[in-house]
Amino acid sequence: MTRPLRLDPDRLFPADPGTRAIARTLYEKIAGLPIISPHGHTDPSWFASDAPFTDAANLLIVPDHYVLRMLMSQGIGLDALGVPTVDGSPTETDPRAIWSLFAANYHLFRGTPSRMWLDWVFAEVFGLDVRLDAATADHYFDVIGAALQTDAFRPRALFERFNIEAIATTESPLDPLAHHAAIRNSGWSGRVITAYRPDPVVDPEAANFAANVARFGQTAGTDTATFSGYLAAHRFHRARFREAGATSTDHGHPSAATADLSFDDAAALYDRVLAGSTPADAELFRAQMLTEMARMAIDDGMVMQLHPGVLRNHNPEVLARFGRDKGADIPLAGEFVRSLKPLLDRFGNDPRLTLILFTLDEDVYSRELAPLAGHYPALRLGPPWWFHDSPEGMRRFRERATETGGFYNTVGFNDDTRAFLSIPARHDVARRMDCTWLAQLVAEGRLEIDEAHEVARALAYDLAKAAYKL
Amino acid sequence: MTRPLRLDPDRLFPADPGTRAIARTLYEKIAGLPIISPHGHTDPSWFASDAPFTDAANLLIVPDHYVLRMLMSQGIGLDALGVPTVDGSPTETDPRAIWSLFAANYHLFRGTPSRMWLDWVFAEVFGLDVRLDAATADHYFDVIGAALQTDAFRPRALFERFNIEAIATTESPLDPLAHHAAIRNSGWSGRVITAYRPDPVVDPEAANFAANVARFGQTAGTDTATFSGYLAAHRFHRARFREAGATSTDHGHPSAATADLSFDDAAALYDRVLAGSTPADAELFRAQMLTEMARMAIDDGMVMQLHPGVLRNHNPEVLARFGRDKGADIPLAGEFVRSLKPLLDRFGNDPRLTLILFTLDEDVYSRELAPLAGHYPALRLGPPWWFHDSPEGMRRFRERATETGGFYNTVGFNDDTRAFLSIPARHDVARRMDCTWLAQLVAEGRLEIDEAHEVARALAYDLAKAAYKL
Amino acid sequence: MTRPLRLDPDRLFPADPGTRAIARTLYEKIAGLPIISPHGHTDPSWFASDAPFTDAANLLIVPDHYVLRMLMSQGIGLDALGVPTVDGSPTETDPRAIWSLFAANYHLFRGTPSRMWLDWVFAEVFGLDVRLDAATADHYFDVIGAALQTDAFRPRALFERFNIEAIATTESPLDPLAHHAAIRNSGWSGRVITAYRPDPVVDPEAANFAANVARFGQTAGTDTATFSGYLAAHRFHRARFREAGATSTDHGHPSAATADLSFDDAAALYDRVLAGSTPADAELFRAQMLTEMARMAIDDGMVMQLHPGVLRNHNPEVLARFGRDKGADIPLAGEFVRSLKPLLDRFGNDPRLTLILFTLDEDVYSRELAPLAGHYPALRLGPPWWFHDSPEGMRRFRERATETGGFYNTVGFNDDTRAFLSIPARHDVARRMDCTWLAQLVAEGRLEIDEAHEVARALAYDLAKAAYKL
């Protein structure tokens, strides 16, 4: 017996009828605003080639680490889910089998944001009207597969249908940005820009660090044997990225540590880490490089993003067999107050710098991030990130950050995803949850309705556009 | 003037009428399910002897450290509450006087779960219909005392009346499990099983550790002078506990630290801690033993529970005079991501292992525990524990753990109590709060009602039964 | 186009109509209770001289670090806001210009408690009925300025109009308390008392510590070259403060560390820190002095307050140019369980001691503070502090602290402010939020309405009066 799939038009609004009515009013005015996606991980080759996606499993399951991790946690192997192996050893290759396995376990996602995003994709993108389960798996697979073969479901058509005004991908300085060039040269008007993520040449503990740095210098035409040459290479590649539309840099460090060494001390540290670093030197070098990036950001106007506090690849067996980004990254406790001080002592009062902070440790919202962002001109708060990009995560963010940081030290929403089809769903969840929060403020006499309308629009559109200079 | 005692049939349901109606519908279907109590501290001698409880004070006040701590915090001495002393020095012995003191201070419990549990016991178990206060203290004492002398209030009768399908007590490997044998041999059908809690022979800082280990080996017939013999003694006693119905082990360590030493290193460490350990060695030995217990669990199928992060006996004066478990244990900040890694590196991907994690540091729900349990097949999340076994604690658990961990990586409810009469009340609070949470998801369009019914039953009954293999 | 300013009479009450009605009923009974303000930073010279306040900017903007920090975070310099400089270099001196700048940026405060407090001041104190923005800035400045020139707006008249029963200011032992003497000698009946804040002579890292200690001894007539003489000076000044009405001491330490050294060790430590201390010695001395203060508190009956966990003056540029208390203090992670143990081991069970704990790390409410205060007779929980003195902060405090600590281990509300005009607004927010919390308990069947009325009154008035012995 199939069960209907329907998206509640009032989903995520407060249950109280009076507050719900306010939320609905707020939402109606902003639901149709274009999507600004200033930070994410979509693949620029999709938009360069505009090739059709192949099938439901390879589009929606195999690359989605949120989905993989939940299934794995209940004993379903990544093999059975068709995740490619590092050594090329075989895993499931039949997309219909993968899809069926997923469908039979779809109940595991109850109460998770993945469920909300996927149901939106099923209903709104593919027009499905029965719920996914073992019995409807084949129907789903066929409907989605057929749609993907049509022009309306190719990447550029979806980009336009999703009303995306601008989207940023994230690339390493070692990337030639050929796809971005191809997009620009294609005559297509979609705005797909890059972001400068220098971790492979900034983190001495990254795989092949020294080789990366050498290549980084070669492509820049600078001599990275010296710290000066290394910094010059950054300036070169930052300029190259800006030419490809980049307005931001992104830094995925293990911690928020910053340092402000003298040039000579930094140069000596650079020599040491190039030769093969200790953990302490690696941490100090990453810390120093955040301050160097801030210095360059003041010069070239790029916005900095800091995403710290993840222990990557917690599961060595998964890493060895399936590689990175398979759902095995785990958050760590965060500390920003002392960590950021060296950088802030140097540049925190300079309004030309915008440093957007993210965290996976929600405790620091009210204790550290809101107090810091509510004081320093250079700081802004990024939206709830990764595990917290969810209705309850968004609720906690507003509840904990607003009273000290206000709305205007936040920067709207980031979808931060490689799951392209879910992007509108993610922005929609954020817009609904923000309207829910604003409606509660209005219902409790803490904000006037005309102000709530202004703030709702700012959170959905204006703040992201301004903060990221888009 | 006495005031009526009445339990609101809609208690703990959301105030919003629409959401409340959903919660009520969900609850009606699960309110009558049998109680699975897979982790707790009731005394098996109650069920072995089936002797009547003596009086209200000795049943409900003297052994309840939640009650003792609150009264003590307001300056009421444990002497006056009749708590027995370690040295046998006298304390209050008149149960009516103890009860009167408690009754006169019952207002202190407003807003606490003890109040909800006790009111349930008063109204539902004893049929009292006036509120407890100084004026009604004698009435209460008399009504409860009279009831306790009747057969209907003896332990086995209450067990049956409470609709308990299975209950686990917790014993040390040094315990002969004579009460459990007596229960089995009595012909009574109540399922009272034990759980293996080896802390006294695993924690080198436990009182009389070396003597405990020696006795542990003697009863097992193994030579605990060597690590091999010590491990063999664990295997012996685990088997003995399984014969007494145990399906689980329980570990109450100061931290969640685990280790994965080579056999030789572990054996050398064992030699050191047997001889009198340093704090660092003690911590490392406990850490190593969690991994050893996991290894054995994979062999014998017992489920592991880890309850870390309490500073026991924070109050030395209370410890010296009144002993352990008198309300002086205080939670500590928790860390699981790095602490569990050695054990998880070894066994985290093995679906034959079930390791159930508890915490008293609620911050780690969203930051560490849900991300870990939402990835590793071997991990599950225990319910809110101890200080957080309360309506708001349960609310926070679902709000913070569900979106990343889902429902199916949780294991239902544990009452974890020695307060036998409160067990139905505690499970009822959990069932109501889970229905409240599910009703909110339904009201906000995040879950369909038919799914909410399935999840409500799983949380109330199925998940505990499955996770604990009952 | 001006927009009306109106305070919703139901503001901060729950949106659900049934729960709102309960909250309103509870609030009506306590809204008019006198204000007990047992901890704050108003300037006693206001009440001594009763001189009129000058203008809106110098009354409401320049001294309010909540306001300054938010404006600064959005790039508005403290110069432009007329904050006086340490070196006397010029900043904006035209109060109307400062006010206009503030008014044009008033939208930044949406969703913050400053907005609620200020709107209350505008509407209730000054009778303004249009909202503040760039267009109404001059109107506001004129209306407020005119009112301030009238007798009804002088400090003592406002004190009486605000129905303040007692207010405590906070002074250093180096303060001669002349303003308090002037108030007492003036014949005015307003109760303005002091509190003993010995940080400048207790913290070896305080500016001019050794000179402070010398002066501290001179005014006491004791020889602070020895630890005995130093302790005697404390006893002298504590007695002097008690004569000026003080019932409490206050301690603003970087951490909650306490120590319980032998007299000889403490005396040797004192010698070292007087000579110029290391950070470790400074921390240990502060720690030891908390225990010394507790010992004296047991003797003289003064209530201790501990406000730990702030990194003061995080922004060196602001400190150098504008000095302390300009919105650059940032919270740190807190730890109380191990930190307080030495003091509690010594005095925690003594009901003659009252030690009121505050924190800026909300995580410790449920993990540490409520468990500690729910056990030790000497401990009480202060209200949500500073960044958390806000509707959501108050909600989190009750949600997290009540179930383990109860209501009666809390001490009512502290406004902790130097913003005199906002005091009634702050107490009103606390009263409304407490009624909201109590109404939710009543609506959810967790508390009876007659009990809620008793608790509401206790939280608004009785508990503060009792805990602070006022």
Side-chain angles (χ1 to χ4, degrees), chain A residues 117-132:
Chain A
W117 300 328
L118 285 162
D119 274 1
W120 184 91
V121 170
F122 300 154
E124 293 292 317
V125 179
F126 294 107
L128 288 154
D129 58 7
V130 294
R131 252 188 277 164
L132 179 64

Side-chain angles (χ1 to χ4, degrees), chain C residues 21 26 82 92 95 165 200-201 231 245-246 305 322 361 376 387 391 419-420 436:
Chain C
L26 293 171
E92 179 60 59
E165 181 173 316
V201 297
L231 293 178
Q305 301 168 94
F322 299 100
D361 182 356
Y376 282 101
F387 297 102
F420 177 46
T436 282

Side-chain angles (χ1 to χ4, degrees), chain C residues 230-279:
Chain C
Y230 170 76
L231 293 178
H234 275 289
R235 283 189 290 267
F236 172 88
H237 287 290
R238 290 173 68 108
R240 179 169 70 86
F241 272 62
R242 283 199 306 286
E243 280 162 28
T247 66
S248 67
T249 70
D250 184 35
H251 309 275
H253 291 199
S255 80
T258 65
D260 189 20
L261 305 177
S262 71
F263 181 84
D264 287 352
D265 287 348
L269 173 64
Y270 177 72
D271 293 346
R272 291 201 303 278
V273 299
L274 256 198
S277 65
T278 64

Side-chain angles (χ1 to χ4, degrees), chain B residues 55-88:
Chain B
D55 62 82
N58 281 296
L59 175 61
L60 299 174
I61 309 308
V62 179
D64 188 331
H65 55 71
Y66 290 77
V67 170
L68 297 178
R69 74 191 323 275
M70 178 62 86
L71 295 169
M72 180 174 158
S73 78
Q74 288 279 313
I76 298 167
L78 298 182
D79 305 73
L81 295 166
V83 178
T85 51
V86 169
D87 60 5

Side-chain angles (χ1 to χ4, degrees), chain B residues 284-332:
Chain B
L284 184 59
F285 187 71
R286 290 186 298 257
Q288 177 63 25
M289 284 309 298
L290 286 179
T291 307
E292 300 293 348
M293 291 291 104
R295 194 189 323 273
M296 292 185 196
I298 288 173
D299 286 345
D300 65 17
M302 293 178 88
V303 173
M304 279 183 82
Q305 302 169 93
L306 179 58
H307 287 88
V310 191
L311 200 162
R312 302 272 173 183
N313 306 306
H314 193 273
N315 190 325
E317 204 172 308
V318 166
L319 178 65
R321 181 114 198 273
F322 299 101
R324 301 174 55 85
D325 298 325
K326 296 297 174 289
D329 301 338
I330 309 287
L332 295 167

Side-chain angles (χ1 to χ4, degrees), chain A residues 217-293:
Chain A
Q218 283 155 16
T219 50
T222 72
D223 176 9
T224 54
T226 69
F227 190 51
S228 297
Y230 170 77
L231 294 178
H234 275 289
R235 283 189 290 267
F236 173 87
H237 287 290
R238 291 173 67 108
R240 180 169 70 87
F241 271 61
R242 284 198 307 285
E243 280 161 29
T247 66
S248 67
T249 70
D250 183 35
H251 309 276
H253 290 198
S255 80
T258 65
D260 189 19
L261 305 177
S262 70
F263 180 85
D264 288 351
D265 287 348
L269 173 64
Y270 176 73
D271 293 346
R272 291 201 304 277
V273 299
L274 256 197
S277 67
T278 64
D281 271 353
E283 177 76 352
L284 183 59
F285 187 72
R286 290 186 297 257
Q288 177 63 25
M289 284 309 299
L290 286 179
T291 307
E292 299 294 347
M293 291 291 104

Side-chain angles (χ1 to χ4, degrees), chain A residues 185-354:
Chain A
N185 296 335
S186 73
W188 179 56
S189 65
R191 187 172 181 191
V192 179
I193 62 179
T194 184
Y196 185 71
R197 174 117 171 197
D199 299 356
V201 298
V202 157
D203 180 2
E205 295 175 322
N208 309 312
F209 172 67
N212 292 344
V213 168
R215 209 171 117 215
F216 175 65
Q218 283 155 16
T219 50
T222 72
D223 176 9
T224 54
T226 69
F227 190 51
S228 297
Y230 170 77
L231 294 178
H234 275 289
R235 283 189 290 267
F236 173 87
H237 287 290
R238 291 173 67 108
R240 180 169 70 87
F241 271 61
R242 284 198 307 285
E243 280 161 29
T247 66
S248 67
T249 70
D250 183 35
H251 309 276
H253 290 198
S255 80
T258 65
D260 189 19
L261 305 177
S262 70
F263 180 85
D264 288 351
D265 287 348
L269 173 64
Y270 176 73
D271 293 346
R272 291 201 304 277
V273 299
L274 256 197
S277 67
T278 64
D281 271 353
E283 177 76 352
L284 183 59
F285 187 72
R286 290 186 297 257
Q288 177 63 25
M289 284 309 299
L290 286 179
T291 307
E292 299 294 347
M293 291 291 104
R295 193 188 324 271
M296 292 185 197
I298 288 173
D299 286 345
D300 65 19
M302 293 177 89
V303 173
M304 278 183 83
Q305 302 168 93
L306 179 57
H307 288 89
V310 191
L311 199 160
R312 302 274 173 182
N313 307 306
H314 192 273
N315 190 326
E317 204 172 308
V318 166
L319 178 65
R321 180 114 199 272
F322 299 101
R324 302 173 55 86
D325 297 326
K326 296 298 174 290
D329 301 338
I330 309 287
L332 295 167
E335 202 288 325
F336 290 80
V337 178
R338 292 193 164 104
S339 297
L340 291 179
K341 197 165 188 311
L343 187 155
L344 293 172
D345 283 358
R346 176 67 63 169
F347 299 121
N349 297 320
D350 193 327
R352 293 173 299 172
L353 176 64
T354 298

